């Protein structure tokens, strides 16, 4: 790719990971170098300062970002992350991955992602609401139901989405539920959105177990991250008879080969927010947890959890990427070379349930016509099954990994749409 004035804007290891994955797939698809930059580089990046009053009376200013990757197939769509790591490079990479994901599963969106550089757990509820509302207020000129539609991601939830929607609506003078997805059902959300990503992860793991030949009742799983995605995936897998032998969040990691009581752990985090203090007897080092034996390993927290340091030591048969970007390209190479044929459910397929049901929410909000939960789930699982089939068929046809097949399908869709629409003016 040639260098542009924008190239220096997006920096950091996560953006480099997205670039490297793209270039590998672009080589495979024989995309000319002068075409790559148009497909890869984000369309827009917005940076805002968000001042709020702290509870102690002082004023604090937080940096917020939103990256809109491409507008070729429709509005941009993607989560909002509140985390200390957030910068324009990280959300840029996440926006790009959202584009490939939406294209892979056939949604009429480009990718978007945004966030605030903040540890949300250090804010009081009032401060969190003030920051959420100020961020949306700063973003109003740049978003809209047909421009860019936000959703939850790490550190944000239904409550934050309700504040976003309320803030946008107050400025619009009427209720605009379709401005964000992942809202509470009580204010325009859809049934099934809160659980959609974790349920989608569990559904695809179920399909991978059938393909690899593992019985649920004999299977074990380890899950890193116990927030929206990780806890729901753990509950769903446990309901399918899988023994959950390990879980972790940023506060603690637990491992018990006899199995953990996931419902009790979820109840504990509902009361205490984090896993710390739940199970002293099963404590394990969080890095060690990832290399314990299991059939299914689900990284559902941060990017870059499986790296060159631990990829040679993970002991699973299915790697199900609930998180975005949990496996580095170096780790991918090590896993491929191991020769024990770990079945990888790549992130843009594995966690696509969230954006699929976000799309259903947006459609329902636009039509003011709501579906029942079985309809949502039926359409969710149907969409994931079709995407899984396409990925596996492409991997076999081209002799490439599931990840490269998923990325190739996503990149190719965006590339074709750009080619057909032409270059304006
Ligand atoms: P969340 O904020 O609800 O939960 C994140 C969890 O990760 C928390 O339990 C946190 O304690 C834990 N965590 C953070 N750092 C950790 C560490 N170093 N080790 C172990 N655990 C750690 O966020 P979420 O919505 O569940 O998102 C998790 C991942 O899934 C992110 O990569 C996100 O981009 C991705 N994702 C989320 C959705 C969605 O619908 N929420 C959809 C697709 C992908």
């Amino acid at each position: 790719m040639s260098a542009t004035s924008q190239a220096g804007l997006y920096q950091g290891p996560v953006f480099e990971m997205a670039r490297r994955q793209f270039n590998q797939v672009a080589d495979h698809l024989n995309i000319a170098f002068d075409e790559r930059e148009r497909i890869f580089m984000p369309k827009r990046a917005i940076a805002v300062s968000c001042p709020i009053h702290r509870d102690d009376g002082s004023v604090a200013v937080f940096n917020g970002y939103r990256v809109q990757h491409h507008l070729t197939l429709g509005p941009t769509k993607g989560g909002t992350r509140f985390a200390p790591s957030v910068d324009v490079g990280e959300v840029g990479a996440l926006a790009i991955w959202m584009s490939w994901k939406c294209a892979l599963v056939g949604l009429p969106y480009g990718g978007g992602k945004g966030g605030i550089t903040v540890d949300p757990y250090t804010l009081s509820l009032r401060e969190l609401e003030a920051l959420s509302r100020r961020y949306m207020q700063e973003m109003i000129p740049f978003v809209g139901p047909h421009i860019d539609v936000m959703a939850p991601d790490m550190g944000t939830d239904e409550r934050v989405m309700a504040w976003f929607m309320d803030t946008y609506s107050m400025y619009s003078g009427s209720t605009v539920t379709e401005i964000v997805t992942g809202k509470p059902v009580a204010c325009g959300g859809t049934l099934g959105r809160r659980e959609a990503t974790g349920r989608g992860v569990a559904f695809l793991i179920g399909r991978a177990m059938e393909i690899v030949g593992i019985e649920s009742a004999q299977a074990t799983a380890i899950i890193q991250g116990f927030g929206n995605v990780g806890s729901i995936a753990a509950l769903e897998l446990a309901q399918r008879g899988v023994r959950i032998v390990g879980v972790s969040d940023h506060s603690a990691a637990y491992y018990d080969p006899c199995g953990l009581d996931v419902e009790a752990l979820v109840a504990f985090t509902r009361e205490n927010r984090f896993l710390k203090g739940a199970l002293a007897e099963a404590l394990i080092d969080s890095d060690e947890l990832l290399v314990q034996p299991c059939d299914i390993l689900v990284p559902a927290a941060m990017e870059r959890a499986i790296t060159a340091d631990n990829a040679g030591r993970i002991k699973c048969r299915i790697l199900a990427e609930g998180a975005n970007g949990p496996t580095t390209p170096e780790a991918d190479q090590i896993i491929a070379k191991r020769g024990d044929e770990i079945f990888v459910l790549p992130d843009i397929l594995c966690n696509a349930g969230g954006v699929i049901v976000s799309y259903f929410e947006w459609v329902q909000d636009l039509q003011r016509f709501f579906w029942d939960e079985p309809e949502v789930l039926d359409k969710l699982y149907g969409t994931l099954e079709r995407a899984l089939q396409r990925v596996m068929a492409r991997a076999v046809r081209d002799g490439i990994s599931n990840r490269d097949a998923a990325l190739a399908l996503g990149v190719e869709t965006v590339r074709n749409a750009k080619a057909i629409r032409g270059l304006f003016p």
Side-chain angles (χ1 to χ4, degrees):
M1 266 181 285
S2 64
T4 66
S5 54
Q6 269 201 43
L9 183 62
Y10 302 99
Q11 291 186 350
V14 184
F15 195 80
E16 286 316 310
M17 215 178 121
R19 190 197 298 277
R20 193 164 153 189
Q21 287 177 345
F22 171 77
N23 275 330
Q24 188 167 319
V25 166
D27 287 346
H28 177 71
L29 295 173
N30 285 321
I31 300 178
F33 283 96
D34 67 342
E35 197 188 343
R36 292 188 187 193
E37 188 149 353
R38 184 173 172 221
I39 302 170
F40 179 75
M41 287 305 286
K43 171 64 67 187
R44 298 181 190 133
I46 300 130
V48 293
S49 295
C50 302
I52 61 160
H53 287 290
R54 300 299 303 247
D55 290 344
D56 64 7
S58 64
V59 171
V61 181
F62 296 89
N63 295 327
Y65 306 96
R66 184 83 189 160
V67 172
Q68 299 167 347
H69 178 227
H70 78 83
L71 309 165
T72 309
L73 289 161
T76 43
K77 182 88 194 75
T80 310
R81 174 174 287 194
F82 289 1
S85 61
V86 166
D87 61 24
V88 73
E90 182 179 289
V91 293
L94 290 161
I96 290 166
W97 285 329
M98 278 302 288
S99 285
W100 313 147
K101 187 187 305 183
C102 291
L104 168 66
V105 297
L107 306 182
Y109 293 134
K113 207 80 171 194
I116 301 179
T117 316
V118 60
D119 179 353
Y121 306 130
T122 62
L123 301 176
S124 70
L125 190 62
R126 192 204 63 78
E127 291 170 335
L128 181 66
E129 177 171 354
L131 187 56
S132 303
R133 288 184 179 279
R134 185 62 191 238
Y135 174 78
M136 174 48 98
Q137 188 274 328
E138 296 288 348
M139 287 293 161
I140 285 175
F142 311 106
V143 299
H146 297 283
I147 299 169
D148 185 13
V149 181
M150 297 182 191
D153 192 79
M154 273 186 66
T156 60
D157 57 13
E158 289 190 332
R159 199 174 39 183
V160 172
M161 295 306 114
W163 293 329
F164 281 177
M165 188 275 278
D166 184 69
T167 303
Y168 188 89
S169 298
M170 285 296 145
Y171 278 85
S172 301
S174 65
T175 297
V176 189
T177 53
E178 57 272 30
I179 184 61
V180 294
T181 60
K183 300 175 295 292
V185 175
C187 61
T190 182
L191 294 165
R193 172 60 184 93
R194 188 193 307 144
E195 303 83 3
T197 312
R199 276 182 177 162
V201 169
F203 170 81
L204 288 169
I205 289 171
R207 292 288 292 111
M209 285 196 289
E210 285 167 15
I211 293 159
V212 174
I214 303 175
E215 292 283 331
S216 298
Q218 263 80 57
T220 57
I222 291 175
I223 294 153
Q224 182 199 42
F226 210 64
N228 176 285
V229 180
S231 69
I232 302 285
L235 281 172
E236 289 281 319
L237 287 174
Q239 272 165 22
R240 289 162 187 251
V242 174
R243 187 157 32 105
I244 311 298
V245 294
V247 298
S248 69
D249 69 4
H250 70 279
S251 74
Y254 301 120
Y255 177 71
D256 182 347
C258 297
L260 300 166
D261 182 344
V262 179
E263 283 190 19
L265 290 171
V266 169
F268 183 89
T269 54
R270 225 176 268 133
E271 288 289 310
N272 302 281
R273 239 170 145 186
F274 310 124
L275 287 170
K276 191 173 180 182
L279 270 182
E281 62 281 11
L283 262 178
I284 186 171
D285 176 78
S286 59
D287 292 337
E288 279 306 302
L289 177 67
L290 294 178
V291 297
Q292 298 308 306
C294 63
D295 295 301
I296 305 149
L297 180 60
V298 188
M302 295 292 294
E303 306 83 40
R304 304 168 73 240
I306 316 286
T307 65
D309 290 340
N310 59 11
R313 292 181 292 130
I314 58 172
K315 299 180 190 73
C316 62
R317 293 167 70 191
I318 297 169
L319 176 60
E321 298 183 338
N324 288 305
T327 309
T328 65
E330 295 81 7
D332 268 338
Q333 283 179 351
I334 292 168
I335 290 169
K337 277 194 196 133
R338 281 170 46 145
D340 52 355
E341 308 212 335
I342 293 175
F343 189 95
V344 178
L345 287 165
D347 51 1
I348 64 168
L349 170 65
C350 190
N351 66 37
V355 73
I356 292 168
V357 178
S358 272
Y359 167 63
F360 298 160
E361 181 175 334
W362 181 69
V363 167
Q364 292 170 71
D365 283 339
L366 287 170
Q367 298 187 343
R368 302 286 188 268
F369 180 70
F370 289 88
W371 313 347
D372 60 20
E373 194 162 358
E375 184 172 1
V376 172
L377 286 177
D378 189 49
K379 287 188 161 72
L380 165 65
Y381 296 145
T383 309
L384 287 174
E385 176 65 30
R386 283 190 295 280
L388 174 68
Q389 294 297 341
R390 291 179 69 221
V391 168
M392 290 195 310
R394 185 63 178 255
V396 170
R397 193 198 84 177
D398 291 6
I400 55 178
S401 67
N402 284 353
R403 183 183 319 288
D404 285 349
L407 287 168
L409 288 162
V411 169
E412 198 169 70
T413 302
V414 175
R415 179 196 194 191
N416 289 344
K418 282 188 186 287
I420 290 164
R421 283 187 60 162
L423 181 56
F424 180 85

